[in-house]
Amino acid sequence: MRKLSYALALAALLLSPATYAQTAPTATAPAKSVAQPWLYEGSDVPVDDTWTFGVLPNGLRYAVKKNDVPAGQVSIRVRIDAGALHENNDEQGFAHLIEHLSFRGSTFVPDGEAKRIWQRFGVTFGSDSNAQTTPTQTVYKLDLPNATPEKLDESVKIISGMIRNPRISPTALNAERAIVLAELRENSGAQMIYSDALRQHAFQGQRLANRSTIGTPETLQAADAIRLAAFHDRWYRPENAVVVMAGDMEPTKLANLVQKYFNDWKGKGQSAPEPDFGDPSPQGTPARVLIEPTLPTTVSLAYLRPWRKVNDTIVYNEQLLIDALALQIINRRLEVQARNGGSYLFAQVEQEDISRTVDATLVSLTPVGDQWEAATRDVRAIIADAVATPPSVADIDREKTLFGNALRTMLDSYPFEAAAKQANDIVNAVDIRETVAAPKTVIMVYEGMQNKFTPERLLESTQKLFSADVTRLMVSSPTTIPDADNRALAVLNTSVAANTSARLSANTIGFAALPKLGAPGKLVAEETLARWDLTRLELSNGVRALIYPNKAESGQIRVLVRFGRGHQAVNPDQGGLLWAGSLVLPENGIGNFKRTEIDQMVNGRRIELNFSVDEDAFQFAANTRPDDLADQLTLIATKMEYPGWDAAPVERAKALATSGYASFEMSAMSVLQRDLEYLLRNKDARWKAATPAEVAKIDAAKFEAYWQPLMAQGPIEVLLFGDFEKADAIAALEKSFGAMAPRAALPASAAASDVRFPAPTAAPVRLMHRGASDQSAAVMAWPTGGGIQGITEGRQLEILAAIFRDRLFEKFRAEQAASYSPDMAANWPLSFNSGGYLMAYTQVKPADVDRFFAFADAVAADLIANPVGADELQRAVEPTKQAIERAASGNTFWLNQLKGATYNPERFVALGKLYSDFNDVTPAILQALAKRYFVKDKAWKLVVDPQSSDGAGAAVAR
């Protein structure tokens, strides 16, 4: 019953060729009558009656549902019960390769045309239309916006052709094989080495150990159309297929489309039984050490048991909740120990059924420095205590409160839950052979089992979770470890004493104990903005607010508190500690209260402290609910007025930044992740990733000296968007932010207000990575502009970038197979009047870097010389417009559009013309922009190359 697991996830968040007829088939036989829906066979879980389930005469199962979130959209999922585990040894990668070929062309569309049709319908390729192959399934996905009956009919027809009869020809295979090999190349490197090593070690003796979804270069090169077609015929059969459709259309119409296009589908040849995935085997090596220079030290510990299909009953799901609560108690203890300083930065325990192969309890930890042995012993000692001694009633009640909050949030959110998510839920339930349940059912189960959350039952659960047929450990280290194998085996097998000190003490501290704010302020100005039903407020101490009461997300309130100047608060040469704010400030408490005490104070309530640095402000963000709004605002206001300066979070952030720095060199793209923003801003230190040497110079006193004046900056703006009463919100604002001392709005200096694009380069700037030798990254960027007054031009440049991106995809990827993921981006900063850019980038073989630059130059030149065609323009504009319409159904969209508007009314003007700015783009406008900005002499280039074998080639550009 997967809805229970979603509740647990929420709780955790509070603390990844033959053909058939060319004409469209028609329904000739009705679906079988289903007394007990097929998803619920063998289960006593109440059926979620918002879904309609059916089975066609050929065995294909379907589930359909009306869900108008977002309005006008229909989400389609087609699941095939075949993945990497269904491949023979010489077929590795075939399931994924067929997924690629299915999108390339099929019965109803020629090569590449499905993408273009869907773009005309407003579909964004990659996010709205995509597919995923896993070890156990292949899932095809389409989220169709503005789903008129005609567009939906055409889309289901196209998908049916992709599933039933993809174009598996030698020509198509050769083209797509090159793209998959490019994907394999671009994903290779340290992270793949690690994940392959962990999979091979953990699942020794099982089929999963040697099944990478993408396959191997050898099996991909050896693939031919005949054998791929045979794999397709073996597994792509109606009895192995599930079609799920959820969206803004009546279920009967959705079901009719399933019948229309899948009813006459017949499997070819004999069906094949599912392979034996195998059970965990005690044979093999219990411990392994991997040396990977670009990855931080980590330890993974797995307790493995055989996976078996369960009867998904209420009793079974009660046990899932008990297991989850037991693990949450351990995770809370682990996190508290990490916050207090010690041998590890992070540690987590989870239970997972992996690929219908194992029932696993997984422990993962990141030690401080090279203290992996001490960290593993310390984590095992906390687990040993949980296995030996039952939790206290206070421990249980603390986590039950958290669960109750998560379940309530789930119930409140369900009417506004996106159709795409609910369709995915059905697919995931099918994959793990379980059911789904409506939130009311989940809460019924939870409330009916309160007397089962006993210390004895929790202890029994914990003991079972850490019992195993097989236990395995893997250590990854960036440096060689002397006597590594014996030391790893010892840290796995040596007995540890239970650490009873990790248990949390009872905490009765309430909000009344927080440092006191001043007397409540008064509302001194109120203005209604009728066009959007917004209200602009000003309090007596100068704090401004923008509030938008609405029911778009029932039971939820988005809170954004902005203060100071953000990146504009410091000059470029003083930006060296901005990076640490988001890591430390949420963790270093309030006044004399540490973060752990704050967590206990708000336990079971939806109260958050998320911190970030924006272009023009520092920000605290939260997603709360009506009952918690007043205390949520009080907590943020008190945090701003009385920030804590606990030293432990600073040291933890330093260790994290130091251990993770080398991992940026694992691949060309990770080097870009670290350095590109910094370089595109002309080496402005406000966007620089600190080096280990720079991190080492920081201590708690220096952090406080840097951030204390920034935390005291004004002005303050509070945005509240969501489910609340206006009068209640005003009262809560007066008592919290209105009670703060007045803060002056300090102007930004000229230097802090300036962001510059780097000077053009005759030869590319060059950086080095330490990953795969056949992997480079190339970037070509042109300066544009910035500022809210020029937002129309910034939006037009997004359409120009979309057209450029599509040409990269269709030519550089689909036709030339030079790269798997070429891309184009447009950046137009709203709070700076300069610093914007257009940027084309990709991963390629080192020999193809110049080829990419030449291609990008050619696209730019063509956009300058020739206006885009009407169809190409539509395929860029329509997905953008549809994305806006869908995003506008949620409060986050409006909040992000209007942040800063109480101090800069231009934000309101910009929002008012959002849709028209995109809708009114013409070929002439785009050609003029191309002429203005694609100036060859102003282009800036960057290349990230593999480090030479002799170690030459330092990253001099930094």
Side-chain angles (χ1 to χ4, degrees):
M1 188 163 77
R2 290 301 93 189
K3 277 294 177 184
L4 287 178
S5 68
Y6 301 142
L8 309 186
L10 281 167
L13 285 173
L14 295 174
L15 263 141
S16 141
T19 64
Y20 67 97
Q22 297 297 306
T23 56
T26 56
T28 57
K32 297 176 183 176
S33 175
V34 181
Q36 176 78 343
W38 54 266
L39 189 64
Y40 293 85
E41 291 176 357
S43 172
D44 62 355
V45 172
V47 175
D48 183 347
D49 57 12
T50 63
W51 286 94
T52 299
F53 297 90
V55 181
L56 298 183
N58 58 10
L60 181 142
R61 294 163 290 168
Y62 67 85
V64 295
K65 174 179 182 175
K66 180 174 175 58
N67 178 330
D68 60 1
V69 182
Q73 177 174 295
V74 173
S75 293
I76 305 168
R77 304 291 184 265
V78 180
R79 178 190 182 275
I80 300 297
D81 199 29
L85 286 172
H86 297 79
E87 300 162 346
N88 296 324
N89 285 334
D90 62 349
E91 296 175 329
Q92 291 185 51
F94 277 27
H96 177 250
L97 189 50
I98 287 174
E99 171 212 308
H100 272 248
L101 286 164
S102 298
F103 272 93
R104 193 165 192 102
S106 64
T107 296
F108 296 119
V109 290
D111 194 345
E113 189 58 26
K115 166 183 160 292
R116 300 184 192 105
I117 292 172
W118 282 331
Q119 284 177 323
R120 295 178 195 117
F121 291 173
V123 170
T124 300
F125 183 80
S127 57
D128 295 334
S129 64
N130 211 332
Q132 180 184 33
T133 304
T134 76
T136 53
Q137 65 178 357
T138 304
V139 183
Y140 297 84
K141 305 178 180 182
L142 177 68
D143 294 329
L144 182 66
N146 191 21
T148 64
E150 295 77 18
K151 291 178 181 178
L152 184 58
D153 187 284
E154 179 71 10
S155 295
V156 177
K157 181 176 77 170
I158 291 171
I159 291 175
S160 72
M162 291 167 52
I163 301 300
R164 297 173 59 167
N165 192 30
R167 187 165 287 111
I168 306 176
S169 66
T171 301
L173 170 58
N174 289 334
E176 205 61 36
R177 178 185 3 239
I179 294 172
V180 173
L181 287 170
E183 180 184 3
L184 176 60
R185 183 186 70 247
E186 293 177 20
N187 289 330
S188 65
Q191 197 60 53
M192 180 175 282
I193 290 170
Y194 173 82
S195 60
D196 285 349
L198 183 60
R199 188 185 67 252
Q200 291 160 8
H201 176 62
F203 306 116
Q204 294 172 72
Q206 293 180 276
R207 196 177 183 92
L208 185 59
N210 299 310
R211 287 296 186 278
S212 172
T213 300
I214 201 168
T216 70
E218 294 76 18
T219 56
L220 293 172
Q221 291 286 11
D224 59 63
I226 294 175
R227 291 197 300 135
L228 277 169
F231 182 89
H232 179 273
D233 293 347
R234 191 189 321 150
W235 298 111
Y236 278 64
R237 310 173 62 86
E239 64 268 27
N240 288 341
V242 171
V243 178
V244 183
M245 299 175 68
D248 197 0
M249 192 166 288
E250 291 305 317
T252 53
K253 294 181 179 179
L254 299 176
N256 287 340
L257 285 172
V258 176
Q259 295 177 39
K260 179 178 180 180
Y261 288 108
F262 290 96
N263 195 71
D264 69 339
W265 181 20
K266 295 181 175 60
K268 300 173 185 176
Q270 294 294 316
S271 61
E274 184 169 82
D276 182 0
F277 297 166
D279 288 339
S281 170
Q283 303 300 316
T285 307
R288 177 178 178 180
V289 177
L290 172 70
I291 305 302
E292 177 45 59
T294 61
L295 290 180
T297 302
T298 57
V299 179
S300 299
L301 185 59
Y303 299 84
L304 305 177
R305 301 167 290 272
W307 179 87
R308 296 290 183 267
K309 185 181 183 305
V310 299
N311 290 321
D312 190 13
T313 62
I314 290 176
V315 170
Y316 165 74
N317 284 280
E318 288 177 343
Q319 187 59 49
L320 282 183
L321 275 173
I322 291 170
D323 291 346
L325 195 142
L327 292 176
Q328 189 61 30
I329 289 173
I330 298 173
N331 280 326
R332 191 184 289 270
R333 295 173 184 175
L334 290 170
E335 175 61 13
V336 169
Q337 289 291 101
R339 283 178 178 164
N340 292 336
S343 61
Y344 63 90
L345 295 171
F346 298 102
Q348 185 176 26
V349 179
E350 60 182 335
Q351 185 280 330
E352 185 176 353
D353 291 340
I354 301 174
S355 300
R356 304 202 299 269
T357 295
V358 296
D359 166 15
T361 303
L362 306 173
V363 182
S364 56
L365 63 98
T366 301
V368 173
D370 60 359
Q371 300 179 58
W372 62 272
E373 289 164 297
T376 306
R377 286 193 294 269
D378 290 346
V379 170
R380 289 186 58 216
I382 292 173
I383 294 171
D385 176 50
V387 169
T389 307
S392 67
V393 172
D395 282 333
I396 296 171
D397 287 345
R398 184 185 300 117
E399 305 312 324
K400 281 171 60 180
T401 301
L402 191 68
F403 273 27
N405 176 62
L407 292 171
R408 178 180 169 184
T409 299
M410 184 179 70
L411 181 64
D412 290 343
S413 303
Y414 190 68
F416 308 95
E417 195 171 73
K421 179 188 180 302
Q422 294 183 354
N424 290 337
D425 292 348
I426 294 285
V427 168
N428 293 335
V430 175
D431 188 45
I432 61 174
R433 309 311 197 230
E434 295 186 15
T435 68
V436 296
K440 61 183 180 182
T441 298
V442 180
I443 291 176
M444 177 196 74
V445 171
Y446 178 71
E447 291 180 347
M449 60 175 295
Q450 293 302 297
N451 62 352
K452 298 180 182 179
F453 288 109
T454 64
E456 296 75 21
R457 188 79 180 265
L458 267 292
L459 178 63
E460 179 186 5
S461 168
T462 305
Q463 291 170 341
K464 288 182 178 178
L465 286 165
F466 290 96
S467 63
D469 294 26
V470 177
T471 304
R472 293 201 168 101
L473 175 142
M474 191 174 95
V475 180
S476 177
S477 170
T479 58
T480 301
I481 300 173
D483 196 25
D485 291 340
N486 288 330
R487 289 167 64 182
L489 196 60
V491 82
L492 172 63
N493 291 330
T494 302
S495 297
V496 294
N499 178 6
T500 58
S501 67
R503 293 177 172 241
L504 276 70
S505 59
N507 184 356
T508 58
I509 299 173
F511 267 70
L514 288 172
K516 302 302 181 186
L517 296 170
K522 297 295 183 182
L523 181 66
V524 296
E526 178 178 350
E527 178 186 2
T528 299
L529 305 170
R531 180 175 179 182
W532 294 291
D533 200 24
L534 299 164
T535 302
R536 183 164 45 189
L537 308 171
E538 185 168 348
L539 303 179
S540 51
N541 60 354
V543 171
R544 297 183 184 181
L546 189 66
I547 64 174
Y548 178 30
N550 66 85
K551 298 291 185 178
E553 298 167 327
S554 176
Q556 298 187 58
I557 306 169
R558 308 285 178 176
V559 178
L560 184 65
V561 178
R562 292 164 52 83
F563 66 97
R565 294 295 183 192
H567 282 111
Q568 296 180 4
V570 296
N571 291 337
D573 60 349
Q574 300 169 340
L577 263 176
L578 283 181
W579 66 270
S582 60
L583 294 174
V584 177
L585 290 172
E587 298 293 322
N588 62 0
I590 298 174
N592 293 323
F593 291 105
K594 296 184 184 298
R595 173 61 190 262
T596 297
E597 295 171 304
I598 300 298
D599 283 350
Q600 291 180 272
M601 186 184 299
V602 303
N603 184 62
R605 305 180 67 186
R606 195 162 188 180
I607 295 179
E608 302 171 355
L609 275 176
N610 304 306
F611 182 81
S612 63
V613 181
D614 202 5
E615 287 180 356
D616 61 339
F618 302 109
Q619 300 183 150
F620 280 106
N623 186 9
T624 190
R625 62 190 186 194
D627 290 351
D628 293 328
L629 176 60
D631 283 343
Q632 174 71 78
L633 296 180
T634 296
L635 193 74
I636 296 177
T638 309
K639 171 72 174 179
M640 292 171 60
E641 201 83 325
Y642 301 98
W645 302 109
D646 184 9
V650 176
E651 294 305 311
R652 192 182 188 190
K654 287 174 61 180
L656 177 64
T658 301
S659 66
Y661 190 82
S663 65
F664 284 119
E665 297 181 354
M666 76 170 75
S667 70
M669 293 306 289
S670 57
V671 169
L672 292 185
Q673 180 185 353
R674 180 190 67 193
D675 292 341
L676 183 58
E677 196 171 15
Y678 166 63
L679 295 175
L680 285 170
R681 287 172 168 80
N682 202 30
K683 299 184 180 179
D684 189 321
R686 290 174 289 182
W687 285 275
K688 184 184 180 185
T691 66
E694 291 166 336
V695 171
K697 298 176 183 179
I698 301 169
D699 58 27
K702 290 180 179 177
F703 180 87
E704 181 178 354
Y706 185 91
W707 274 100
Q708 193 280 331
L710 298 181
M711 287 290 291
Q713 281 191 352
I716 298 174
E717 177 187 63
V718 183
L719 294 94
L720 305 178
F721 286 48
D723 185 5
F724 58 87
E725 295 297 327
K726 177 180 173 181
D728 294 340
I730 292 174
L733 286 166
E734 289 175 329
K735 292 178 182 177
S736 56
F737 289 93
M740 295 178 66
R743 296 189 176 196
L746 301 177
S749 70
S753 302
D754 186 34
V755 174
R756 298 191 179 185
F757 188 84
T761 52
V765 175
R766 290 195 176 267
L767 301 177
M768 299 292 170
H769 70 88
R770 294 196 288 162
S773 61
D774 61 352
Q775 182 187 101
S776 287
V779 177
M780 189 171 187
W782 300 263
T784 57
I788 189 71
Q789 293 81 6
I791 186 60
T792 294
E793 187 168 286
R795 290 165 178 165
Q796 292 165 347
L797 287 171
E798 290 183 39
I799 300 301
L800 185 63
I803 290 170
F804 201 120
R805 182 186 309 118
D806 203 55
R807 293 188 184 186
L808 285 174
F809 180 91
E810 295 208 344
K811 300 292 184 181
F812 202 69
R813 171 183 152 146
E815 288 186 11
Q816 300 181 22
S819 172
Y820 176 69
S821 55
D823 207 348
M824 179 68 170
N827 175 276
W828 187 275
L830 297 182
S831 301
F832 295 98
N833 291 324
S834 59
Y837 53 82
L838 289 160
M839 179 182 68
Y841 60 101
T842 194
Q843 291 187 77
V844 288
K845 294 178 181 178
D848 285 336
V849 166
D850 289 340
R851 178 182 174 189
F852 172 74
F853 287 143
F855 186 87
D857 269 333
V859 174
D862 185 71
L863 289 168
I864 291 171
N866 302 299
V868 301
D871 180 66
E872 188 175 27
L873 179 59
Q874 181 192 2
R875 292 190 290 109
V877 171
E878 194 61 28
T880 303
K881 289 162 50 180
Q882 293 299 329
I884 291 170
E885 290 188 10
R886 286 178 287 174
S889 65
N891 282 313
T892 300
F893 169 84
W894 298 99
L895 186 142
N896 287 331
Q897 292 293 320
L898 291 171
K899 61 184 181 182
T902 63
Y903 290 94
N904 186 354
E906 285 286 338
R907 294 273 185 166
F908 293 111
V909 177
L911 177 60
K913 58 184 181 178
L914 173 64
Y915 194 84
S916 62
D917 278 348
F918 290 112
N919 193 58
D920 296 345
V921 173
T922 66
I925 288 173
L926 294 181
Q927 187 175 20
L929 290 173
K931 289 177 179 179
R932 185 181 311 155
Y933 292 122
F934 286 138
V935 179
K936 194 167 186 177
D937 292 343
K938 293 185 178 181
W940 178 86
K941 297 178 183 178
L942 168 68
V943 175
V944 184
D945 281 324
Q947 184 171 288
S948 59
S949 57
D950 62 2
V956 295
R958 300 194 79 250

PDB file of all heavy atoms in Angstrom, residues 655-666:
ATOM      1  N   ALA A 655      33.905  20.557   7.174  1.00  0.00           N
ATOM      2  CA  ALA A 655      34.260  19.179   6.833  1.00  0.00           C
ATOM      3  C   ALA A 655      33.542  18.721   5.569  1.00  0.00           C
ATOM      4  O   ALA A 655      34.125  18.034   4.720  1.00  0.00           O
ATOM      5  CB  ALA A 655      33.921  18.254   8.000  1.00  0.00           C
ATOM      6  N   LEU A 656      32.281  19.123   5.441  1.00  0.00           N
ATOM      7  CA  LEU A 656      31.517  18.758   4.256  1.00  0.00           C
ATOM      8  C   LEU A 656      32.111  19.400   3.004  1.00  0.00           C
ATOM      9  O   LEU A 656      32.292  18.736   1.971  1.00  0.00           O
ATOM     10  CB  LEU A 656      30.065  19.196   4.430  1.00  0.00           C
ATOM     11  CG  LEU A 656      29.134  18.952   3.250  1.00  0.00           C
ATOM     12  CD1 LEU A 656      28.989  17.464   2.980  1.00  0.00           C
ATOM     13  CD2 LEU A 656      27.772  19.584   3.496  1.00  0.00           C
ATOM     14  N   ALA A 657      32.424  20.699   3.079  1.00  0.00           N
ATOM     15  CA  ALA A 657      32.985  21.396   1.925  1.00  0.00           C
ATOM     16  C   ALA A 657      34.346  20.838   1.547  1.00  0.00           C
ATOM     17  O   ALA A 657      34.674  20.699   0.363  1.00  0.00           O
ATOM     18  CB  ALA A 657      33.089  22.889   2.228  1.00  0.00           C
ATOM     19  N   THR A 658      35.130  20.478   2.532  1.00  0.00           N
ATOM     20  CA  THR A 658      36.469  19.944   2.257  1.00  0.00           C
ATOM     21  C   THR A 658      36.394  18.554   1.653  1.00  0.00           C
ATOM     22  O   THR A 658      37.058  18.256   0.648  1.00  0.00           O
ATOM     23  CB  THR A 658      37.296  19.911   3.554  1.00  0.00           C
ATOM     24  OG1 THR A 658      37.397  21.239   4.078  1.00  0.00           O
ATOM     25  CG2 THR A 658      38.690  19.365   3.286  1.00  0.00           C
ATOM     26  N   SER A 659      35.570  17.680   2.232  1.00  0.00           N
ATOM     27  CA  SER A 659      35.502  16.300   1.742  1.00  0.00           C
ATOM     28  C   SER A 659      34.879  16.233   0.354  1.00  0.00           C
ATOM     29  O   SER A 659      35.213  15.350  -0.444  1.00  0.00           O
ATOM     30  CB  SER A 659      34.704  15.428   2.713  1.00  0.00           C
ATOM     31  OG  SER A 659      33.340  15.831   2.740  1.00  0.00           O
ATOM     32  N   GLY A 660      33.982  17.180   0.040  1.00  0.00           N
ATOM     33  CA  GLY A 660      33.306  17.126  -1.241  1.00  0.00           C
ATOM     34  C   GLY A 660      34.012  17.846  -2.367  1.00  0.00           C
ATOM     35  O   GLY A 660      33.640  17.691  -3.530  1.00  0.00           O
ATOM     36  N   TYR A 661      35.048  18.637  -2.047  1.00  0.00           N
ATOM     37  CA  TYR A 661      35.657  19.476  -3.072  1.00  0.00           C
ATOM     38  C   TYR A 661      36.290  18.643  -4.189  1.00  0.00           C
ATOM     39  O   TYR A 661      36.116  18.949  -5.374  1.00  0.00           O
ATOM     40  CB  TYR A 661      36.705  20.399  -2.456  1.00  0.00           C
ATOM     41  CG  TYR A 661      37.190  21.461  -3.420  1.00  0.00           C
ATOM     42  CD1 TYR A 661      36.459  22.618  -3.611  1.00  0.00           C
ATOM     43  CD2 TYR A 661      38.365  21.292  -4.150  1.00  0.00           C
ATOM     44  CE1 TYR A 661      36.876  23.600  -4.499  1.00  0.00           C
ATOM     45  CE2 TYR A 661      38.786  22.265  -5.047  1.00  0.00           C
ATOM     46  CZ  TYR A 661      38.049  23.419  -5.217  1.00  0.00           C
ATOM     47  OH  TYR A 661      38.457  24.371  -6.111  1.00  0.00           O
ATOM     48  N   ALA A 662      37.006  17.600  -3.824  1.00  0.00           N
ATOM     49  CA  ALA A 662      37.676  16.791  -4.849  1.00  0.00           C
ATOM     50  C   ALA A 662      36.673  16.127  -5.783  1.00  0.00           C
ATOM     51  O   ALA A 662      36.992  15.859  -6.951  1.00  0.00           O
ATOM     52  CB  ALA A 662      38.560  15.733  -4.189  1.00  0.00           C
ATOM     53  N   SER A 663      35.450  15.877  -5.296  1.00  0.00           N
ATOM     54  CA  SER A 663      34.462  15.204  -6.142  1.00  0.00           C
ATOM     55  C   SER A 663      34.044  16.069  -7.315  1.00  0.00           C
ATOM     56  O   SER A 663      33.530  15.558  -8.306  1.00  0.00           O
ATOM     57  CB  SER A 663      33.233  14.806  -5.316  1.00  0.00           C
ATOM     58  OG  SER A 663      32.549  15.952  -4.837  1.00  0.00           O
ATOM     59  N   PHE A 664      34.269  17.385  -7.234  1.00  0.00           N
ATOM     60  CA  PHE A 664      33.972  18.247  -8.373  1.00  0.00           C
ATOM     61  C   PHE A 664      34.864  17.934  -9.572  1.00  0.00           C
ATOM     62  O   PHE A 664      34.560  18.340 -10.693  1.00  0.00           O
ATOM     63  CB  PHE A 664      34.125  19.717  -7.997  1.00  0.00           C
ATOM     64  CG  PHE A 664      33.003  20.263  -7.172  1.00  0.00           C
ATOM     65  CD1 PHE A 664      33.235  20.763  -5.907  1.00  0.00           C
ATOM     66  CD2 PHE A 664      31.708  20.273  -7.660  1.00  0.00           C
ATOM     67  CE1 PHE A 664      32.198  21.274  -5.139  1.00  0.00           C
ATOM     68  CE2 PHE A 664      30.660  20.780  -6.903  1.00  0.00           C
ATOM     69  CZ  PHE A 664      30.911  21.284  -5.638  1.00  0.00           C
ATOM     70  N   GLU A 665      35.959  17.243  -9.337  1.00  0.00           N
ATOM     71  CA  GLU A 665      36.874  16.934 -10.424  1.00  0.00           C
ATOM     72  C   GLU A 665      36.618  15.562 -11.026  1.00  0.00           C
ATOM     73  O   GLU A 665      37.386  15.089 -11.858  1.00  0.00           O
ATOM     74  CB  GLU A 665      38.317  17.034  -9.933  1.00  0.00           C
ATOM     75  CG  GLU A 665      38.680  18.450  -9.475  1.00  0.00           C
ATOM     76  CD  GLU A 665      40.120  18.586  -9.013  1.00  0.00           C
ATOM     77  OE1 GLU A 665      40.812  17.549  -8.946  1.00  0.00           O
ATOM     78  OE2 GLU A 665      40.557  19.713  -8.732  1.00  0.00           O
ATOM     79  N   MET A 666      35.515  14.903 -10.642  1.00  0.00           N
ATOM     80  CA  MET A 666      35.262  13.548 -11.111  1.00  0.00           C
ATOM     81  C   MET A 666      34.869  13.490 -12.575  1.00  0.00           C
ATOM     82  O   MET A 666      34.980  12.454 -13.205  1.00  0.00           O
ATOM     83  CB  MET A 666      34.182  12.872 -10.259  1.00  0.00           C
ATOM     84  CG  MET A 666      32.766  13.335 -10.558  1.00  0.00           C
ATOM     85  SD  MET A 666      31.504  12.334  -9.743  1.00  0.00           S
ATOM     86  CE  MET A 666      31.629  12.913  -8.067  1.00  0.00           C
TER      87      MET A 666
END
